[in-house]
Amino acid sequence: MKRAAIYARYSTDLQNDQSVEDQFRLCRAHAERLGFNVVEEFSDRAKSGASMFGRPGLANLIQAADRAEFDVLVSEAPDRISRDIADLAHIHKTLKFRGIEMNCVNGGAMDTVQIGMYGVIGQMQREEGAKKVRRGMVGVVRSGRNPGGKAYGYRPIFGRKGELEIVEDEAATVRRIYELYAGGMAPRSIAAVLNDENVPAPRGERWNASTINGSGQRGNGILRNPIYAGRIVWNRIHMVKDPSTGRRISRVNPESEQEEVAAPHLQIVDSGLFDIVQQRKEATGGADRAKGPRSKRILSGLLRCGACGGGMALVGPDRSGNRIQCSTFRESGICKNSRRYYVERIETEVVDGLRRQFADTSVIEAYVEAYQVEQKRLRGDAQRARANAQRALQEAKDGITKIVEKISKGLIEDDEAAALLAPLRAERDRQKAILETTEEPPNVIEIQPKAVKRFRENIESLAQIVREKDGEASPEIAAPFRQLVAAVVINPTEKGQPYEINIKGYLSSLIDSELSVIKMVAEDRLTPSPRFSIRRFVA
């Protein structure tokens, strides 16, 4: 008797959860008619069939197929398995390679021709459904209703689908934001004022400059959303799925595909004030501001505020050079570290500090020694775990062999043998999985002299760059530096006091290449720490 596995799926939270149980009943009856023994059932609830990603039930089914746990896959229809041509063909091909038949209640045994036909039909139905939804959304917009989503300042009207009403408390905050910005206040300053006054934020616990600013291309953010001027704009973006990851990614639509309709009943901000705000937004960079050149400084993306852990951003130069400041403080005013630091001085001290460390490898040697002690302990634990798993696996195999011998000699009935074999096979597979996922740690960790030498040379090059090229380095030079440095933490100090800088470093680039994937910040688990403080100059 062939062993059968059943797979069921329904698409969205709007569908009945009982759909899976109904599919299971149909499939069990179908398997019984064909003389199959159902041994496993898999399902995905409220999961789209447009992608294989994000469907744990399907993933478990494929893994069970790899372990040869069933001979036939039974489903209500091929579109329950996938509604994408390529994915359905891939699943069928994988199962066929494993010697597993695909048999559906609606369609019977699936061959290559049927898979191609059902794959095309499934994908066409999915795409046609999406087109119908879009047509429905256009009708909603043109009738003056909201097609989806809820902007700050509005709430849905109960019992009247797609209709919004103004929330006066929130609307007053929106008007205030527009007035403050039109008066010359920056979004980050507005966010700080709202946070200080404990005004509830649209989402999360605090206001941020990004919440107020939004995106010019997408028309979101409080200062850019046309709904506040009494205009509903829909279809600014569309979503596509990345076939390599299954993630949905937004793409901006051309203006010709966007739908706009007047909605004076939703207007919160005077049209004149709205226009003034848009003019100021354009004057300060407009929608294309984000397309400007990115900073290429050697510490870009590595600087962290020691008070809140947030990033540090350039805030513009003064007579002494370029300065940085805590982004959290600038965005929302939540962090209390308001001090501005000269980035050139920080770069110089970081590079000089690393030069001093690499001048004496004793620090690295001590680090590796501590790392070896920790690895020895982990190795012992891993070896014991692997030994236990190997022993349990062998016992399960021996048990299976003994029962098979008894069956061959007629010493045990088939029903009794099946009851005894099931837990032994389950234990065998469980121990196999443990052994496959447990890797034995390597024995030796060695400092690579060539790696140390290479880093020394690159740091010397970076020191030259800091002195002569205003801290801008090519990716080829900066890459080894970023492999070594995990973060540069700027601890808060009073104005006029020396800077306090902590460098968090990686060990992986300096040890044996087979461990190059291990990246551990020493202060988290090991001693001595590669972190060092620099207190040399006063700003």
Side-chain angles (χ1 to χ4, degrees), residues 176-424:
R176 184 183 178 195
I177 290 171
Y178 271 79
E179 290 166 358
L180 291 173
Y181 184 79
M185 186 176 286
R188 61 177 60 94
S189 300
I190 298 172
V193 169
L194 297 176
N195 286 323
D196 287 341
E197 296 178 3
N198 295 317
V199 177
R203 295 181 180 87
E205 299 178 355
R206 67 187 186 190
W207 289 85
N208 293 304
S210 57
T211 305
I212 297 172
N213 261 324
S215 165
Q217 288 183 323
R218 286 168 170 74
N220 57 16
I222 288 178
L223 291 177
R224 298 183 185 273
N225 196 335
I227 194 173
Y228 296 122
R231 303 196 315 272
I232 295 176
V233 179
W234 177 75
N235 202 33
R236 283 182 178 269
I237 63 171
H238 68 279
M239 307 299 293
V240 295
K241 278 195 176 182
D242 184 339
S244 63
T245 64
R247 293 182 179 178
R248 299 177 79 232
I249 299 172
S250 64
R251 300 272 174 82
V252 178
N253 291 328
E255 290 187 8
S256 60
E257 296 182 10
Q258 299 175 16
E259 291 285 335
E260 181 174 335
V261 65
H265 61 290
L266 298 178
Q267 184 169 0
I268 289 177
V269 177
D270 178 76
S271 299
L273 178 58
F274 186 85
D275 292 341
I276 290 171
V277 165
Q278 303 315 305
Q279 289 169 10
R280 186 184 171 202
K281 294 303 296 180
E282 289 299 320
T284 56
D288 294 330
R289 184 175 183 181
K291 298 180 181 179
R294 299 279 184 175
S295 172
K296 298 179 181 178
R297 305 194 73 92
I298 60 172
L299 297 183
S300 294
L302 299 177
L303 295 165
R304 295 286 181 270
C305 172
C308 68
M312 305 287 284
L314 286 168
V315 295
D318 65 6
R319 289 177 298 177
S320 299
N322 291 306
R323 298 170 298 169
I324 58 172
Q325 191 177 37
C326 173
S327 296
T328 304
F329 172 82
R330 287 173 56 78
E331 288 285 324
S332 61
I334 295 297
C335 180
K336 300 305 180 184
N337 182 16
S338 62
R339 186 175 182 182
R340 298 185 176 191
Y341 305 85
Y342 290 106
V343 67
E344 286 88 354
R345 298 185 183 181
I346 293 172
E347 289 170 344
T348 299
E349 287 299 316
V350 168
V351 172
D352 287 347
L354 290 174
R355 291 171 71 190
R356 289 194 298 272
Q357 278 205 328
F358 277 95
D360 180 5
T361 59
S362 61
V363 174
I364 301 168
E365 290 169 354
Y367 190 123
V368 173
E369 183 179 353
Y371 190 89
Q372 285 175 325
V373 171
E374 176 70 5
Q375 282 295 303
K376 184 177 180 180
R377 182 187 68 79
L378 294 175
R379 178 179 172 78
D381 293 344
Q383 284 180 327
R384 284 189 292 274
R386 286 183 64 82
N388 291 336
Q390 287 171 341
R391 183 169 55 253
L393 175 61
Q394 191 58 48
E395 289 174 356
K397 288 181 176 179
D398 292 343
I400 292 171
T401 300
K402 290 177 182 178
I403 292 173
V404 171
E405 289 176 351
K406 289 181 179 180
I407 293 173
S408 64
K409 295 178 181 178
L411 301 176
I412 188 172
E413 297 294 330
D414 289 348
D415 293 343
E416 185 180 357
L420 294 172
L421 283 171
L424 287 172

Side-chain angles (χ1 to χ4, degrees), residues 24-259:
F24 279 159
R25 280 194 291 272
L26 280 172
C27 292
R28 289 192 203 106
H30 182 68
E32 185 177 353
R33 286 195 299 270
L34 296 176
F36 299 152
N37 177 33
V38 177
V39 294
E40 294 184 88
E41 294 178 346
F42 303 92
S43 66
D44 284 307
R45 302 170 189 266
K47 300 291 184 181
S48 169
S51 173
M52 293 174 61
F53 294 95
R55 294 164 64 185
L58 181 61
N60 292 335
L61 183 149
I62 297 298
Q63 292 172 9
D66 291 341
R67 296 191 296 267
E69 293 180 2
F70 59 93
D71 308 305
V72 183
L73 171 61
V74 178
S75 188
E76 181 187 20
D79 62 5
R80 295 302 86 202
I81 299 169
S82 179
R83 302 190 75 177
D84 179 88
I85 299 173
D87 287 349
L88 184 61
H90 172 74
I91 294 168
H92 178 258
K93 188 175 182 179
T94 300
L95 295 178
K96 187 176 180 180
F97 175 75
R98 303 291 181 194
I100 297 172
E101 174 189 338
M102 186 185 294
N103 199 303
C104 296
V105 177
N106 301 327
M110 296 287 110
D111 58 21
T112 303
V113 173
Q114 288 175 297
I115 287 295
M117 179 183 68
Y118 280 108
V120 169
I121 293 172
Q123 183 158 329
M124 288 179 62
Q125 289 176 337
R126 175 170 58 84
E127 293 176 354
E128 184 59 30
K131 291 177 182 177
K132 289 178 180 178
V133 170
R134 289 174 66 84
R135 287 198 293 271
M137 290 293 188
V138 171
V140 169
V141 172
R142 291 178 178 175
S143 68
R145 292 178 292 154
N146 186 48
K150 182 178 76 69
Y152 180 77
Y154 305 94
R155 64 183 167 216
I157 300 176
F158 181 75
R160 294 160 63 179
K161 191 174 181 180
E163 295 190 29
L164 301 176
E165 63 181 358
I166 296 173
V167 181
E168 281 304 326
D169 290 345
E170 295 180 359
T173 301
V174 171
R175 295 188 193 99
R176 184 183 178 195
I177 290 171
Y178 271 79
E179 290 166 358
L180 291 173
Y181 184 79
M185 186 176 286
R188 61 177 60 94
S189 300
I190 298 172
V193 169
L194 297 176
N195 286 323
D196 287 341
E197 296 178 3
N198 295 317
V199 177
R203 295 181 180 87
E205 299 178 355
R206 67 187 186 190
W207 289 85
N208 293 304
S210 57
T211 305
I212 297 172
N213 261 324
S215 165
Q217 288 183 323
R218 286 168 170 74
N220 57 16
I222 288 178
L223 291 177
R224 298 183 185 273
N225 196 335
I227 194 173
Y228 296 122
R231 303 196 315 272
I232 295 176
V233 179
W234 177 75
N235 202 33
R236 283 182 178 269
I237 63 171
H238 68 279
M239 307 299 293
V240 295
K241 278 195 176 182
D242 184 339
S244 63
T245 64
R247 293 182 179 178
R248 299 177 79 232
I249 299 172
S250 64
R251 300 272 174 82
V252 178
N253 291 328
E255 290 187 8
S256 60
E257 296 182 10
Q258 299 175 16
E259 291 285 335

Side-chain angles (χ1 to χ4, degrees), residues 496-508:
Q497 296 298 313
Y499 292 179
E500 293 185 5
I501 305 170
N502 294 336
I503 301 176
K504 294 184 178 182
Y506 291 133
L507 173 65
S508 61

